[in-house]
Amino acid sequence: MNPINPAELHDPGPFGYTHVVDSGAGLVAIAGQYASDPLGRVAVADFPAQVKLAFEHLGTALRAAGLDHRDVIRLGTYVVDHDADRLAVLGTHVNALWKGSPPAQTLLGVSSLAMPGMLFEVDALAVRRAGSATATPGPGQSLPGPRR
């Protein structure tokens, strides 16, 4: 297994996880991404801005593994105080990223997430297609293990 922590994302070590784990067998797991700042704090307060930033972080994590949104086969989305308006915001982002052909998704409405002020989180499972490159250390990556 190959853990990857892109330098563009906050250091997850103090929180007890790794942003990306490449199984080496084709599956790549992306930990829950949220609207974090460089220190792991919630960076923005409103729901639409949190969804936008969380999906940007998801893209950063995927690129660190040499993948992109087209490689995602499953999303897990977690919404605090889920309602129709929040579902519409989420749907807009998902449809824009996947051009109307989104991956499987499980949405959970929750009463709270890991940090105060967190309203949205997204995790993903991606598949490395045959012939695509395996992630290698590069700018913004630390391999192996959590960034220090």
Side-chain angles (χ1 to χ4, degrees):
M1 291 204 299
N2 182 23
I4 305 168
N5 287 309
E8 299 89 348
L9 301 177
H10 69 273
D11 179 2
F15 300 107
Y17 68 97
T18 298
H19 283 293
V20 181
V21 175
D22 187 332
S23 72
L27 291 179
V28 179
I30 310 296
Q33 299 299 309
Y34 61 100
S36 63
D37 71 9
L39 298 176
R41 300 174 300 208
V42 176
V44 293
D46 74 288
F47 184 78
Q50 286 197 20
V51 172
K52 180 179 186 292
L53 188 52
F55 276 111
E56 288 173 7
H57 291 335
L58 176 64
T60 298
L62 287 164
R63 285 187 300 278
L67 303 172
D68 65 33
H69 291 92
R70 293 170 298 180
D71 301 303
V72 174
I73 61 168
R74 183 201 173 279
L75 291 174
T77 52
Y78 310 87
V79 177
V80 173
D81 297 330
H82 171 64
D83 62 16
D85 292 337
R86 291 189 173 185
L87 180 60
V89 168
L90 176 59
T92 297
H93 283 277
V94 169
N95 286 322
L97 284 170
W98 281 276
K99 311 285 188 249
S101 200
Q105 179 180 184
T106 299
L107 185 151
L108 292 176
V110 297
S111 61
S112 66
L113 288 164
M115 301 179 74
M118 258 177 92
L119 302 175
F120 179 76
E121 187 170 13
V122 58
D123 61 41
L125 184 61
V127 174
R128 187 173 306 288
R129 291 177 253 165
S132 64
T134 305
T136 56
Q141 295 183 6
S142 62
L143 303 174
R147 190 181 76 210
R148 301 285 179 227

